[in-house]
């Protein structure tokens, strides 16, 4: 399925309501004839209902004749019965035409939005609350489906019914028809004013519902934190304020609907009263007869429901327009990370990863702020393991997002085997590069499915799939999975919260290893492991990384020991590259970073920092030349 439907017009608040709803055309086109059939059935039902007053006129004439015409009365009653049955049949046919196709539209829209969310860059998800996306995916699309199946057809048919019925009213007397027509003018004026007010309230309400959904989601995901800090009442208070704001908006909507309903109910009553007075006068003048008067009011009664329904259907249409705007907020979002027009392919990747004067800044960064990554030059040779170290805020994690194009550089480039990663198809690039994050995210699926997530080429339950999964679990020291209730088929709870932090990290690491990439990017994937488990994982990783290029963000001295070389990141720039021993001798800032890492590790484990003679000797440069080199690096 494509990421977006074809020919989607841009979303704009300046669009009229019909133009805004017309954007649904790509989704509705496959079922357009079913909708036409539904509208035709509904219109046929309305016409049959409008024919009943004309038959009733003939029955009343038969009753008022000097000699009662029994045949006319019985025949007329039979015709009324048939017309009623026909109307009921047409109503059933309308539902048959539209209900199932409308659910197909709902399905396609949800699928398109989900596909779109998968293709939009991480920067988009950084800006959007998950509750807002969820409310659009579920609430807004459901509302659009109901409007297509019910509101759209009834609005069109009821307007046509009012027009046809109003014309028919003139056949009995022009004065009665004019009264009925003129008294409808205030309703259309109020309808125009209603659209302006209700449209804004509808958008406000749906946005607030999205915020409320976000609060619920955050509270559920963070329930352990709220309980641990005793902040349940605080969260409830915040939620109550948001819920109260939404309630006030809904009350404003209800008052707006109440106002339009007032006019829709009042004006027909006035029309009935004026028509009754006028009709009596016309009968007295001999301009019309009693059967015609009876038929007129029967027709007006038939028109009463279509007239009164206009308020509800109009508000329904405005809700659907707002829901459409909210859905198209996602469809029209610019996707800056896409496949290249002229893709380049790497037949046999070697795994050389290079950053060439790479710059990066977030979109919302001020013009006066410096780039978060400010000219990175770094080359990882094929099969090399490089540790990336630096103080908090130096840009380490941001750097790791660039190779797989989670973000794109804003200057310079990142290359894989000499090819700019932006020239590679995204699917191919992300088979060559795999990632494991410090904050391990797992999905509500089995252990097997989580570990083999990056191996679309494998059947998870095949012998090869079993072998790859077991090897990855062994590297990650994740043997605990066999103690789970159903082993590797155990369904992990939402986001893996049923597992410990260390268990989640090991499964995330196993997932990255199972992908068998040429380049492995690890953002401190062992931070939640105990010392003994970490040592076992590091030993196993040495064998895996022997033929894989690896970039590892190191927050522990033990992780640095995995690397062939170390890159020192300082204020968004690589200021030194070398082996651990070389940097200890040549860079005072590196010694400061390592000392900070050891202090953090000691605080975490309750051990005494290990300070080697080499580090002590390196604390004070032995020569003026060494001191000068340190100053140059600092500069």
């Amino acid at each position: 399925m494509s990421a977006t439907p074809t020919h989607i017009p841009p979303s704009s608040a300046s669009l009229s309501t019909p133009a805004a709803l017309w954007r649904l055309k790509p989704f509705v086109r496959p079922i357009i004839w079913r909708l036409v059939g539904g509208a035709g059935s509904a219109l046929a039902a309305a016409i049959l209902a409008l024919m009943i007053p004309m038959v009733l006129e003939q029955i009343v004439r038969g009753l008022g004749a000097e000699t009662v015409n029994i045949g006319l009365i019985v025949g007329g009653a039979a015709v009324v019965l048939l017309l009623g049955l026909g109307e009921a049949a047409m109503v059933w046919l309308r539902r048959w035409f539209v209900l199932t196709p409308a659910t197909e539209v709902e399905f396609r829209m949800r699928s398109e939005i989900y596909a779109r969310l998968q293709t939009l860059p991480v920067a988009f998800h950084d800006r959007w609350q998950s509750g807002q996306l969820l409310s659009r995916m579920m609430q807004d699309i459901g509302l659009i489906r109901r409007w297509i199946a019910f509101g759209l057809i009834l609005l069109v048919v009821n307007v046509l019914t009012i027009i046809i019925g109003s014309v028919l009213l003139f056949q009995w007397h022009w004065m009665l028809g004019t009264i009925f027509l003129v008294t409808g003018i205030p309703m259309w004026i109020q309808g125009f004013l209603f659209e302006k007010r209700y449209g804004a309230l509808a958008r406000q309400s749906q946005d607030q519902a999205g915020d409320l959904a976000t609060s619920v989601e955050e509270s559920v995901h963070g329930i352990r934190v709220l309980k641990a800090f005793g902040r349940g009442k605080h969260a409830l208070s915040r939620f109550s304020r948001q819920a109260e704001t939404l309630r006030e908006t809904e009350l404003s909507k209800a008052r707006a609907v109440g106002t339009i309903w007032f006019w829709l109910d009042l004006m027909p009553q006035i029309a009935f009263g004026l028509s009754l007075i006028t009709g009596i006068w016309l009968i007295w003048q001999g301009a019309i007869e009693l059967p015609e008067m009876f038929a007129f009011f029967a027709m007006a009664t038939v028109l009463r429901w279509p007239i009164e329904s206009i308020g509800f259907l109009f508000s329904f249409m405005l809700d659907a327009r707002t829901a459409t705007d909210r859905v198209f907020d996602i469809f029209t979002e610019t996707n800056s990370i896409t496949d290249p027009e002229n893709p380049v392919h790497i037949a046999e990747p070697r795994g050389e990863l290079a950053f060439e004067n790479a710059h990066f800044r977030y979109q919302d960064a001020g013009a006066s702020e410096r780039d978060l990554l400010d000219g990175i030059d770094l080359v990882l040779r094929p099969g090399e393991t490089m540790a990336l170290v630096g103080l908090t805020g130096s840009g380490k994690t941001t750097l790791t997002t660039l190779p797989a194009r989670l973000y794109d550089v804003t200057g310079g480039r990142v290359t894989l085997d000499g090819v700019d990663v932006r020239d590679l198809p995204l699917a191919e690039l992300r088979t060559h590069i795999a990632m494991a994050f410090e904050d391990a995210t797992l999905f509500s699926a089995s252990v097997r499915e989580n570990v083999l997530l990056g191996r679309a080429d494998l059947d998870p339950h095949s012998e090869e799939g079993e072998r790859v999964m077991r090897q990855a679990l062994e590297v990650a020291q994740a043997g605990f999975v066999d103690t789970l209730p159903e082993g590797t088929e155990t369904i992990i709870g939402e986001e893996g919260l049923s597992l410990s932090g260390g268990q989640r990290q090991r499964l995330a690491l196993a997932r990255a290893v199972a992908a068998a990439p040429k380049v492995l990017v690890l953002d401190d994937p062992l931070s939640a492991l105990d010392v003994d488990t970490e040592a076992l994982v590091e030993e196993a990783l040495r064998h895996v990384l022997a033929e894989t290029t690896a970039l590892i963000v190191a927050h522990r001295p033990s992780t640095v020991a995995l690397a062939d070389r170390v890159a020192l990141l300082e204020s968004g720039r690589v200021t030194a590259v070398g082996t651990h021993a070389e940097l200890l001798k040549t860079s005072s800032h590196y010694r400061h970073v390592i000392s900070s890492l050891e202090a953090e590790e000691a605080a975490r484990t309750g051990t005494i920092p290990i300070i080697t003679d080499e580090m002590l000797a390196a604390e004070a440069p032995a020569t003026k030349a060494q001191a000068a080199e340190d100053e140059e690096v600092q500069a």
Side-chain angles (χ1 to χ4, degrees):
M1 182 169 291
S2 61
T4 58
T6 57
H7 308 301
I8 291 181
S11 174
S12 172
S14 62
L15 290 176
S16 65
T17 296
L21 292 169
W22 185 251
R23 292 173 297 172
L24 296 172
K25 180 183 176 182
F27 299 103
V28 176
R29 185 185 293 113
I31 67 162
I32 189 68
W33 291 113
R34 295 290 295 267
L35 291 180
V36 170
S41 301
L43 184 59
I47 291 174
L48 291 173
L50 292 175
M51 292 173 64
I52 292 176
M54 299 180 183
V55 178
L56 291 176
E57 179 183 357
Q58 301 305 317
I59 294 175
V60 174
R61 285 188 185 280
L63 289 172
E66 293 181 3
T67 303
V68 177
N69 190 336
I70 300 299
L72 178 62
I73 296 172
V74 173
V79 172
V80 170
L81 176 62
L82 290 175
L83 290 175
L85 292 175
E87 180 185 3
M90 290 298 102
V91 170
W92 176 87
L93 193 60
R94 172 183 65 81
R95 291 179 177 273
W96 179 83
F97 267 120
V98 301
L99 287 183
T100 299
T103 60
E104 293 174 0
V105 171
E106 182 180 33
F107 167 75
R108 279 195 296 272
M109 290 192 72
R110 284 210 175 102
S111 299
E112 294 282 5
I113 284 190
Y114 189 82
R116 181 68 172 167
L117 291 176
Q118 296 301 309
T119 59
L120 285 171
V122 174
F124 166 84
H125 294 278
D126 290 342
R127 299 194 310 272
W128 280 70
Q129 296 175 331
S130 56
Q132 289 288 355
L133 297 177
L134 184 62
S135 67
R136 284 163 170 78
M137 175 76 78
M138 304 305 297
Q139 178 181 331
D140 291 339
I141 293 180
L143 191 151
I144 291 171
R145 185 260 302 166
R146 293 191 298 275
W147 180 74
I148 290 173
F150 176 71
L152 171 61
I153 290 176
L154 287 188
L155 180 62
V156 172
V157 169
N158 285 4
V159 169
L160 290 176
T161 302
I162 293 171
I163 294 172
I164 295 171
S166 298
V167 171
L168 291 176
L169 290 176
F170 280 86
Q171 71 173 320
W172 290 292
H173 198 279
W174 68 267
M175 191 176 296
L176 294 176
T178 301
I179 290 173
F180 210 84
L181 187 63
V182 170
T183 52
I185 294 176
M187 292 190 298
W188 296 108
I189 296 174
Q190 288 299 319
F192 176 78
L193 299 175
F194 172 76
E195 179 184 10
K196 298 296 183 182
R197 182 184 180 195
Y198 189 86
L201 289 172
R203 178 61 191 245
Q204 184 178 353
S205 170
Q206 286 165 289
D207 286 342
Q208 289 171 349
D211 291 337
L212 203 62
T214 298
S215 295
V216 173
E217 184 182 31
E218 289 177 347
S219 297
V220 171
H221 286 173
I223 191 65
R224 292 171 174 81
V225 176
L226 292 175
K227 286 182 175 294
F229 286 90
R231 299 294 283 172
K233 290 184 178 180
H234 170 76
L236 175 60
S237 175
R238 179 171 176 268
F239 176 84
S240 298
R241 287 196 300 271
Q242 288 180 298
E244 177 62 23
T245 301
L246 177 58
R247 187 183 76 89
E248 291 173 355
T249 304
E250 289 294 330
L251 286 175
S252 298
K253 284 175 59 181
R255 283 190 286 267
V257 173
T259 300
I260 192 67
W261 268 100
F262 169 79
W263 287 98
L264 290 171
D265 189 58
L266 175 65
M267 298 316 297
Q269 299 290 358
I270 293 176
F272 269 69
L274 293 177
S275 297
L276 180 59
I277 295 172
T278 304
I280 293 172
W281 181 78
L282 290 172
I283 291 175
W284 181 63
Q285 292 291 323
I288 63 172
E289 298 177 355
L290 182 61
E292 294 173 325
M293 182 73 171
F294 180 85
F296 174 87
F297 277 95
M299 181 70 74
T301 302
V302 172
L303 292 177
R304 182 161 184 168
W305 152 243
I307 292 173
E308 291 181 348
S309 70
I310 291 298
F312 160 70
L313 294 173
F314 202 42
S315 63
F316 197 176
M317 180 182 68
L318 295 178
D319 283 334
R321 182 255 161 86
T322 301
T324 302
D325 285 344
R326 282 166 49 85
V327 167
F328 275 79
D329 285 344
I330 299 174
F331 280 136
T332 57
E333 184 74 27
T334 301
N335 186 3
S336 58
I337 298 181
T338 59
D339 284 328
E341 293 184 4
N342 301 304
V344 178
H345 301 280
I346 302 177
E348 297 182 2
R350 296 178 294 109
E352 180 183 80
L353 182 66
F355 300 84
E356 300 176 4
N357 192 31
H359 289 255
F360 177 80
R361 64 163 46 222
Y362 290 104
Q363 292 180 353
D364 56 356
S368 60
E369 298 180 31
R370 68 172 182 82
D371 289 351
L372 189 59
L373 297 178
D374 193 13
I376 299 292
D377 287 299
L378 186 64
V379 177
L380 281 73
R381 298 184 287 266
E384 179 181 33
T385 299
M386 179 169 289
L388 192 63
V389 300
L391 297 177
T392 300
S394 60
K396 303 184 297 297
T397 296
T398 302
L399 185 64
T400 63
T401 64
L402 302 181
R405 295 191 68 194
L406 300 185
Y407 295 93
D408 268 341
V409 292
T410 53
R413 65 176 192 160
V414 180
T415 65
L416 179 63
D417 293 341
V419 178
D420 193 319
V421 294
R422 291 170 292 188
D423 293 332
L424 291 168
L426 286 169
E428 178 181 335
L429 172 66
R430 290 166 183 172
T431 59
H432 298 327
I433 300 176
M435 297 188 67
F437 305 93
E438 179 181 8
D439 183 15
T441 298
L442 301 177
F443 298 92
S444 296
S446 67
V447 171
R448 181 186 300 274
E449 291 171 307
N450 271 281
V451 172
L452 297 178
L453 182 67
R455 294 301 300 269
D457 59 318
L458 287 180
D459 178 358
H461 297 281
S462 65
E463 291 185 5
E464 180 65 12
E466 178 74 16
R467 183 187 64 79
V468 171
M469 178 191 66
R470 286 296 173 184
Q471 286 181 346
L473 291 173
E474 183 178 352
V475 170
Q477 300 299 306
F480 68 88
V481 299
D482 292 320
T483 65
L484 297 176
E486 297 179 37
T488 57
E489 303 305 321
T490 301
I491 301 297
I492 297 174
E494 186 178 8
E495 294 191 3
L497 295 180
S498 58
L499 303 176
S500 70
Q503 289 173 329
R504 291 198 301 273
Q505 279 197 338
R506 279 178 277 173
L507 288 182
L509 179 60
R511 179 171 58 201
V513 170
K518 292 302 296 182
V519 177
L520 187 59
V521 180
L522 305 176
D523 184 5
D524 195 24
L526 311 178
S527 61
L529 303 187
D530 59 79
V531 176
D532 294 334
T533 304
E534 180 189 10
L536 293 173
V537 172
E538 289 175 349
E539 181 60 31
L541 273 176
R542 292 181 191 279
H543 299 288
V544 173
L545 299 179
E547 299 180 357
T548 302
T549 306
L551 179 62
I552 305 177
V553 173
H555 290 281
R556 293 183 182 183
S558 55
T559 308
V560 176
L562 280 172
D564 301 312
R565 289 191 299 159
V566 182
L568 177 62
L569 199 60
E570 187 177 355
S571 299
R573 295 181 178 181
V574 174
T575 57
V577 179
T579 65
H580 175 61
E582 290 171 349
L583 294 184
L584 282 175
K585 293 179 180 179
T586 59
S587 173
S588 60
H589 184 67
Y590 182 75
R591 292 192 295 272
H592 170 64
V593 171
I594 293 298
S595 298
S596 299
L597 296 180
E598 289 192 333
E600 292 176 5
E601 180 71 4
R604 187 180 71 87
T605 61
T607 59
I608 299 175
I610 299 175
I611 302 177
T612 63
D613 292 339
E614 183 181 38
M615 291 182 65
L616 288 172
E619 280 298 321
T623 64
K624 292 182 180 180
Q626 182 64 62
E629 184 177 350
D630 278 355
E631 291 177 0
E632 182 180 350
V633 171
Q634 290 278 1

